[in-house]
DNA sequence: ACAAAAGTGTTGTACGTACACCCATGA
DNA sequence: TCATGGGTGTACGTACAACACTTTTGT
């Protein structure tokens, strides 16, 4: 009871057998042909080696000794999928003993990317899946995605992360569609408009989206307002 | 851009130089003699080795290869301070390259403990500090405590974690005092009573706290209600 | 009796929800 | 002109803040 922490190597520490990986759950919205509302989708990488060869897994890789965790998440995501997210935040550290044959601690991030930033030609071994209907993934990655979805749905209620899924200018209907897709329920257009207008986070522009019926005013996000309050850790992305 | 993640050892991974530590920010409420409201306090451990020998640091230790992260947090907290918290939750993984002379990833937990569970005789090299007036701590531990305090204050607003700082039976004034101490502002007794009564999380008992003026009814928490909604990760503590 | 905390009642405001209604455009 | 989504108005219910008031104890 009196042993003190030393933060220096000791015989019983896990340095030689435990490795640190970084993975990212990155969401976008996808308009499935013919469907009225877009659905939440994410890219997965087919594993080319054991363990779980052939199964789909979250994009990620090993932490490099010379990079921070955020940087590792960005790098491994880019290397595996070619994507560079508009929003990136740490999700959770997963470290159950039996989650992999060898001991692996996974620092998992979650991210958002705008549909227009997703390349049309898919990268080798990468495929996009609807979050609602995933296959059995490698390791504990199903559990991880579930948790990331829960965080996404929670956070959309009290922050402005929806921005991360939209282009710079958008109509209120487009913004509402993002919320409806994530929350999986319809929102009253009139009330949605007032809520978001009174929040002070939107700036109306002079431009309109035309093409169908009455033109809709385009809005921009107020850059002065942070996407999400992350407390003392700040908003570094 | 087409390199795929393998989650198997490679030449450039950090296994041989990066180590994983687990630390815990554990809060309690302390009634400083004469003060009207209690203050948030936490135990720190004096470092007995380099780096940062002599400075105060969060209780913690190295992750053992055979234990999960939650278990490691409980174990290292117990070994360094003798404490066993009533609430324990993962806070964040800190992994800046320069946060320690050697590369250390710290999985940090935060916890609550009831004042009556804090032993009177302090353990060797352990001392309790007011969260509001900490010295300069070892590593990035000041930053970590700030973040934990931010999470505590946030979470007290939308969950019932205040329970983790109270005995089984308590008066509404005592519960209100917990909130006031954490949020650092006074709450209207009348409105507080109604809010908490209507939340359905409290069960009135037949017992009363006597001793000063009109006796106050004692309440218990409804065990059916989770302390905090933690989503798919569940409440395992 | 009086101070002080426990507990109740009342009122105003803010905000979310439901829904009726008008407006402007493409076809 | 009509269907449709853009946009406004309004009424209702809940929730919270402020604060006056009553109740019950210790001294």
């Amino acid at each position: 009871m009196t042993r003190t922490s030393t933060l220096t190597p000791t015989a019983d520490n896990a340095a030689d057998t435990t490795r640190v990986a970084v993975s990212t759950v990155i969401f976008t919205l996808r308009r499935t042909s013919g469907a009225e509302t877009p659905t939440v989708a994410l890219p997965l990488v087919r594993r080319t080696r054991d363990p779980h060869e052939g199964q789909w897994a979250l994009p990620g890789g090993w932490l490099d000794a010379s990079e921070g965790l955020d940087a590792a998440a960005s790098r491994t995501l880019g290397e595996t999928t070619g994507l560079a997210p508009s929003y990136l935040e740490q999700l959770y550290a997963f470290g159950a003993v039996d989650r992999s044959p060898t001991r692996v601690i996974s620092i998992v991030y979650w991210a958002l990317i705008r549909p227009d930033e997703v390349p049309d030609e898919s990268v080798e071994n990468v495929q996009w899946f609807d979050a609602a209907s995933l296959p059995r993934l490698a390791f504990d990655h199903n559990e991880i995605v579930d948790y990331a979805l829960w965080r996404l749905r929670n956070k959309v209620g009290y922050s402005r992360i929806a921005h991360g899924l939209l282009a710079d200018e958008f109509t209120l209907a487009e913004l509402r569609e993002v919320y409806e897709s994530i929350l999986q329920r319809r929102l009253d257009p009139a009330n949605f408009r007032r809520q978001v207008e009174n929040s002070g986070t939107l700036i109306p522009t002079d431009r309109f989206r035309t093409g169908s019926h009455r033109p809709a005013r385009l809005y921009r996000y107020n850059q002065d307002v942070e996407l999400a309050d992350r407390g003392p850790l700040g908003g570094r992305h």
Side-chain angles (χ1 to χ4, degrees), chain A residues 21-27 58-59 63 68-74 76-77 85 87-94 106-112 144-145 148 151 230 236-237:
Chain A
V22 177
S23 300
T24 302
V25 186
I26 177 165
F27 295 117
L58 291 171
L63 173 69
L69 298 177
D70 295 8
S74 294
T76 59
L77 181 65
Y87 181 80
L88 180 69
E89 178 189 308
Q90 193 182 303
L91 177 69
Y92 201 78
F94 293 84
S106 278
I107 317 289
V108 179
Y109 281 73
W110 72 286
L112 299 178
I144 293 176
V145 172
R151 275 271 275 266
R230 308 174 72 180
R236 287 191 283 259
H237 308 289

